C-alpha cells in the first residue's frame, strides 16, 4: 500500500518567487499548496487538513503572527514554521513566544526549506528508524556477550546499556524490539543472582579489596569532597528510584546543571530500613544495631520506626569522617503537606554551610500504593508507565524546585536513591517457621527454604552479610528475578494480591545497581 504523501500549506504574498521551492519539495514527495494571504489560508484549512504550515510574517493584510492565532484556534496541533525577511530580535522573540515550531529568515534556499520540513515531518520517524537499526545491530552482540563472566564494573556497564535501550525503544514506540529486549531479562536476572551469591559476601569480608562503591561509601566518597571544597553540599535521596526512571529525569536537569552519573551497589536486603540507614550512617545494618541498640536494636521490628533516626545517623557519620561536628539540615518529604511546606520555606531549607539532606518518598509511595489501589495499578501498569508518571511528578514537584534553587545559588548536589524495585509476576513458594518475617522479597528466620532454589538466595550466616543477629539458626532468604514470596497456606491470596506489584528487598540489578548523579550548576 502506497504511503500518503505529507501535505504542506505555504502562505506568502510572493507566491511566484516560491515556485522553485514548491517544485523542489514536490520532487521530494511532498504535496504543496499555496495561499497568498491569511484569510485564504484559513479557508483552505477549513476544507482540508495539512501536516505543516509555512507562514510568511510580513504579508499584505494580516501579519503572519496574527494569522497564527486564527490557525491555532482551528488546528491547535498543526506545526507552524515562520518565514520572514526580518532579522530583528523582537520578531524572533515574538515568534518563539507564540510557540512557533521553527523560524527561517529570507532569503532561503530550497535545501534549507527541505531541511526544516524534513526535521519536523520526518524527524520522529527517522530517529525511530535509527534507534531500531542501531538496536538490531547491537542485539546479536548483546546475546553473545551473555556468556562472559562479568565483574562488578561489567555488570554496571551491561545493566546501564540495557536500561538505555529500554528507555529509547519505548520512547520510539518500537514495541516489537522492546519485547525482544525484555526477553533478555530472565537470563540477566539468573546470572546476576549467581554473581551476587559469592561476590557480595566476598566484598564485605574484604572492604579494602576490589569492590564497588556500596551504600556505606556514599557520604564519604561523594558528599564529603563537595563539602570540603565548597563548605556546603546538598544531598538528595529519592526513595526507590530505578536507573531507568533516573534516565528520563536526567534531561530535565541539563539546562541547570552539568550532570555526571555514576553507579553504586545497594547493601542487602535492598529495603529502606537497611539500605537507607546504611546510606546515612556509613555502617552496615549489623553495625548500626550493635552501635545504636536504643535506636535500632530490635532486629525483629520491620516498620518505619527503623528509619526514624536518619538525621542522627548522618550527624554521627559526618562527625566521624570530618573530625568534628558538621551542620546538618534534614528534611523528609512524604506527603503533599511536606511538599507545600518545603516550597514555602525553600529559601531557608538549604544551609549556607554543612550538609542539607532531603529524602523524597513519592516514588516509593507510588510503587507500594499500586498494590492497594486499582487506579494506581492501572495508571502505573508497567515499567514504561512508571517512568512516565515519575517524570510527570518530577516536573511539578518540590524536588525540581529545590534543585533549581540549588542551581541558582551555585550549590553542587549529590542526587541518588537507596534502592530500586522490580516488577514482580512470579510467585515463589517458601517454607518457614512462624517466626519468619513477612516481607515479600526478603525473609529472616529459621529453616527457611524456597521450593525452587533458583528463585532465591539463601545466606545462612548473618555475619557474612553484616546483618543484625537474630539468634542461633537464623537465615536470610532473598528473592531473585521477578519472584515474590508466598506461603503454601496462602498461595491464592498472595498470588492475586501481589502479582504485578513493584517490590524491593531482593537481588536484581533493578534493585541493587543504583544511579548516583553529581549535579554541578552551570555558570
Amino acid at each position: 500500500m502506497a504511503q500518503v504523501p505529507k501535505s504542506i500549506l505555504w502562505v506568502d504574498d510572493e507566491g511566484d518567487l516560491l515556485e522553485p521551492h514548491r517544485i523542489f519539495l514536490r520532487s521530494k514527495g511532498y504535496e504543496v499548496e499555496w495561499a497568498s494571504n491569511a484569510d485564504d489560508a484559513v479557508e483552505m484549512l477549513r476544507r482540508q487538513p495539512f501536516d505543516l504550515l509555512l507562514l510568511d510574517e510580513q504579508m499584505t493584510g494580516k501579519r503572519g503572527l496574527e494569522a497564527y492565532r486564527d490557525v491555532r484556534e482551528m488546528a491547535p496541533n498543526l506545526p507552524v514554521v515562520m518565514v520572514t525577511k526580518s532579522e530583528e530580535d523582537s520578531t524572533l522573540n515574538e515568534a518563539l513566544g507564540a510557540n512557533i515550531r521553527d523560524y527561517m529568515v529570507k532569503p532561503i534556499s530550497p535545501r534549507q526549506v527541505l531541511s526544516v520540513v524534513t526535521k519536523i515531518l520526518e524527524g520522529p520517524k527517522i530517529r525511530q528508524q535509527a534507534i531500531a537499526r542501531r538496536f538490531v545491530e547491537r542485539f546479536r552482540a548483546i546475546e553473545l556477550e551473555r556468556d562472559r563472566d562479568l565483574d562488578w564494573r561489567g555488570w554496571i556497564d551491561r545493566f546501564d546499556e540495557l536500561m538505555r535501550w529500554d528507555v529509547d525503544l519505548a520512547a520510539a514506540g518500537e514495541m516489537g524490539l522492546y519485547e525482544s529486549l525484555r526477553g533478555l531479562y530472565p537470563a540477566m536476572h539468573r546470572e546476576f543472582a549467581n554473581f551476587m551469591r559469592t561476590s557480595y559476601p566476598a566484598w564485605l569480608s574484604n572492604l579494602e579489596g576490589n569492590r564497588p562503591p556500596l551504600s556505606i561509601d556514599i557520604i564519604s566518597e561523594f558528599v564529603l569532597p563537595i563539602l570540603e571544597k565548597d563548605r556546603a553540599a546538598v544531598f538528595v535521596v529519592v526513595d526507590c528510584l530505578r536507573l531507568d526512571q533516573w534516565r528520563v529525569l536526567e534531561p530535565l536537569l541539563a539546562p541547570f546543571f552539568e550532570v555526571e552519573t555514576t553507579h553504586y551497589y545497594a547493601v542487602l536486603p535492598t529495603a529502606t530500613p537497611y539500605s537507607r540507614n546504611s546510606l546515612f550512617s556509613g555502617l552496615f545494618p549489623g553495625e548500626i544495631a550493635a552501635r545504636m541498640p536504643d535506636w535500632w536494636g530490635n532486629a525483629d521490628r520491620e516498620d518505619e520506626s527503623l528509619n526514624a533516626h536518619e538525621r542522627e545517623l548522618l550527624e554521627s557519620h559526618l562527625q566521624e569522617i570530618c573530625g568534628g561536628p558538621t551542620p546538618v539540615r534534614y528534611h523528609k518529604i512524604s506527603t503533599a503537606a511536606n511538599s507545600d511546606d518545603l516550597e514555602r520555606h525553600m529559601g531557608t531549607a538549604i544551609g549556607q554551610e554543612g550538609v542539607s539532606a532531603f529524602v523524597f518518598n513519592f516514588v516509593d509511595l507510588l510503587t507500594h500504593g499500586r498494590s492497594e489501589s486499582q487506579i494506581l495499578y492501572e495508571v502505573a501498569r508497567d515499567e514504561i508507565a512508571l517512568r512516565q508518571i515519575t517524570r510527570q511528578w518530577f516536573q511539578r514537584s518540590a524536588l525540581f524546585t529545590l534543585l533549581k534553587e540549588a542551581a541558582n545559588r551555585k550549590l553542587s548536589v549529590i542526587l541518588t536513591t537507596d534502592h530500586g524495585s522490580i516488577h514482580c509476576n512470579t510467585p515463589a513458594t517458601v517454607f518457614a517457621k512462624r517466626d519468619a518475617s513477612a516481607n515479600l522479597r526478603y525473609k529472616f528466620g529459621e529453616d527457611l527454604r524456597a521450593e525452587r532454589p533458583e528463585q532465591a538466595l539463601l545466606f545462612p550466616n548473618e555475619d557474612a552479610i553484616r546483618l543484625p543477629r537474630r539468634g542461633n539458626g537464623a537465615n536470610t532468604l532473598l528473592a531473585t528475578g521477578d519472584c515474590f514470596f508466598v506461603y503454601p497456606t496462602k498461595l491464592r491470596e498472595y498470588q492475586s494480591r501481589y502479582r504485578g506489584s513493584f517490590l524491593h528487598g531482593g537481588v536484581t540489578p533493578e534493585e541493587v545497581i543504583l544511579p548516583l548523579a553529581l549535579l554541578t550548576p552551570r555558570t
Side-chain angles (χ1 to χ4, degrees):
M1 182 176 175
Q3 187 175 0
V4 177
K6 298 289 179 67
S7 59
I8 301 168
L9 176 58
W10 198 325
V11 188
D12 197 307
D13 57 359
E14 298 177 332
D16 294 341
L17 300 178
L18 301 176
E19 187 60 24
H21 296 77
R22 296 202 294 271
I23 293 173
F24 185 67
L25 287 172
R26 288 177 185 134
S27 72
K28 298 300 181 181
Y30 296 104
E31 289 186 352
V32 186
E33 299 290 337
W34 170 62
S36 62
N37 58 73
D39 293 334
D40 288 349
V42 170
E43 186 59 34
M44 293 176 72
L45 286 169
R46 285 197 179 96
R47 293 199 304 266
Q48 71 176 90
F50 288 88
D51 297 300
L52 177 65
L53 179 64
L54 299 175
L55 184 60
D56 186 32
E57 163 56 7
Q58 295 163 325
M59 295 184 295
T60 304
K62 284 185 180 178
R63 289 177 59 208
L65 283 169
E66 292 179 69
Y68 174 74
R69 298 183 184 95
D70 297 335
V71 169
R72 267 287 162 264
E73 292 182 7
M74 184 183 312
N77 296 317
L78 177 65
V80 177
V81 175
M82 186 66 69
V83 186
T84 178
K85 293 178 181 178
S86 174
E87 296 187 23
E88 294 181 5
D89 290 344
S90 59
T91 305
L92 172 61
N93 291 338
E94 191 177 359
L96 295 177
N99 202 26
I100 294 290
R101 182 68 66 86
D102 213 327
Y103 189 90
M104 291 189 290
V105 178
K106 295 179 180 179
I108 50 178
S109 68
R111 279 286 174 190
Q112 182 184 358
V113 177
L114 177 65
S115 176
V116 171
V117 169
T118 303
K119 180 177 69 174
I120 294 174
L121 295 183
E122 311 297 340
K125 180 181 177 181
I126 292 171
R127 287 190 293 272
Q128 179 181 355
Q129 292 173 339
I131 289 170
R133 186 166 55 252
R134 290 198 304 271
F135 177 72
V136 170
E137 292 171 353
R138 182 75 182 111
F139 181 73
R140 182 59 179 162
I142 293 173
E143 283 191 308
L144 294 175
E145 290 170 3
R146 280 168 36 188
D147 296 330
R148 287 174 41 212
D149 288 333
L150 301 176
D151 61 6
W152 63 266
R153 292 183 180 87
W155 270 109
I156 288 175
D157 292 341
R158 175 180 291 183
F159 181 59
D160 185 53
E161 181 182 10
L162 292 182
M163 288 297 97
R164 288 181 185 275
W165 284 122
D166 200 300
V167 171
D168 290 346
L169 291 174
E174 287 286 351
M175 301 315 296
L177 295 178
Y178 180 81
E179 291 304 320
S180 297
L181 174 72
R182 300 292 302 183
L184 301 175
Y185 285 28
M188 174 185 71
H189 290 149
R190 288 192 299 271
E191 293 160 11
F192 185 75
N194 290 330
F195 167 73
M196 291 291 286
R197 186 192 308 274
T198 56
S199 296
Y200 186 71
W203 297 335
L204 272 55
S205 68
N206 180 19
L207 294 178
E208 301 303 318
N210 180 17
R211 66 170 180 86
L214 298 169
S215 306
I216 61 167
D217 303 307
I218 302 308
I219 299 295
S220 58
E221 291 191 14
F222 297 96
V223 177
L224 183 60
I226 296 175
L227 186 62
E228 291 176 338
K229 179 171 68 76
D230 300 334
R231 297 184 59 211
V234 179
F235 181 47
V236 175
V237 179
V238 183
D239 192 4
C240 199
L241 186 73
R242 294 160 45 112
L243 179 56
D244 59 330
Q245 290 171 295
W246 165 245
R247 289 302 177 196
V248 301
L249 302 185
E250 189 176 3
L252 299 174
L253 294 171
F256 310 98
F257 296 95
E258 297 286 349
V259 182
E260 181 183 350
T261 298
T262 186
H263 309 80
Y264 80 95
Y265 282 60
V267 301
L268 302 180
T270 50
T272 303
Y274 305 94
S275 55
R276 197 157 80 212
N277 278 301
S278 290
L279 198 66
F280 281 108
S281 67
L283 302 171
F284 289 102
E287 295 169 331
I288 300 173
R291 289 196 194 183
M292 294 86 169
D294 293 337
W295 291 353
W296 216 66
N298 186 352
D300 297 324
R301 196 174 70 238
E302 294 287 340
D303 55 39
E304 282 297 314
S305 64
L306 289 176
N307 286 90
H309 300 283
E310 291 167 0
R311 176 179 184 143
E312 293 91 336
L313 290 171
L314 177 59
E315 289 175 335
S316 176
H317 184 29
L318 286 169
Q319 179 160 349
E320 183 175 340
I321 61 178
C322 295
T326 300
V328 170
R329 297 180 185 225
Y330 173 83
H331 306 266
K332 183 181 289 188
I333 296 87
S334 301
T335 66
N338 295 152
S339 295
D340 292 342
D341 188 62
L342 178 59
E343 294 268 14
R344 285 194 301 268
H345 300 95
M346 191 65 69
T348 58
I350 303 175
Q352 295 296 323
E353 59 180 31
V355 175
S356 301
F358 300 84
V359 175
F360 288 85
N361 284 335
F362 171 81
V363 179
D364 187 63
L365 294 171
L366 172 64
T367 55
H368 285 302
R370 288 177 72 262
S371 302
E372 313 298 331
S373 167
Q374 188 62 33
I375 295 176
L376 283 179
Y377 187 90
E378 287 297 322
V379 299
R381 176 169 287 275
D382 54 20
E383 291 89 346
I384 298 173
L386 186 64
R387 289 196 291 261
Q388 293 170 338
I389 292 175
T390 304
R391 180 183 170 98
Q392 290 169 356
W393 160 75
F394 178 76
Q395 288 175 297
R396 297 181 59 83
S397 69
L399 170 55
F400 200 12
T401 305
L402 169 72
L403 295 175
K404 288 185 282 190
E405 175 69 15
N408 288 335
R409 291 166 62 171
K410 298 297 182 283
L411 293 172
S412 296
V413 179
I414 291 293
L415 187 150
T416 190
T417 182
D418 49 359
H419 57 75
S421 66
I422 179 76
H423 196 197
C424 292
N425 288 294
T426 304
T429 304
V430 295
F431 301 93
K433 292 183 177 180
R434 289 187 177 182
D435 66 341
S437 58
N439 310 90
L440 292 167
R441 289 281 291 173
Y442 64 100
K443 290 188 179 297
F444 308 118
E446 297 182 28
D447 297 330
L448 283 173
R449 66 181 178 89
E451 184 176 43
R452 296 173 57 187
E454 70 273 13
Q455 294 180 327
L457 295 185
L458 180 66
F459 293 100
N461 185 349
E462 296 160 328
D463 290 340
I465 54 175
R466 303 206 182 197
L467 289 177
R469 292 180 176 175
R470 291 175 169 81
N472 294 329
N475 297 321
T476 302
L477 193 68
L478 305 178
T480 62
D482 69 341
C483 299
F484 60 99
F485 292 145
V486 297
Y487 293 119
T489 54
K490 293 186 176 182
L491 190 61
R492 293 185 181 276
E493 176 188 341
Y494 275 55
Q495 283 182 344
S496 60
R497 182 174 181 181
Y498 295 109
R499 191 190 298 271
S501 296
F502 282 91
L503 303 172
H504 51 81
V507 189
T508 61
E510 289 90 335
E511 297 162 284
V512 174
I513 298 178
L514 307 176
L516 186 146
L518 169 60
L519 309 180
T520 305
R522 291 188 180 275
T523 56

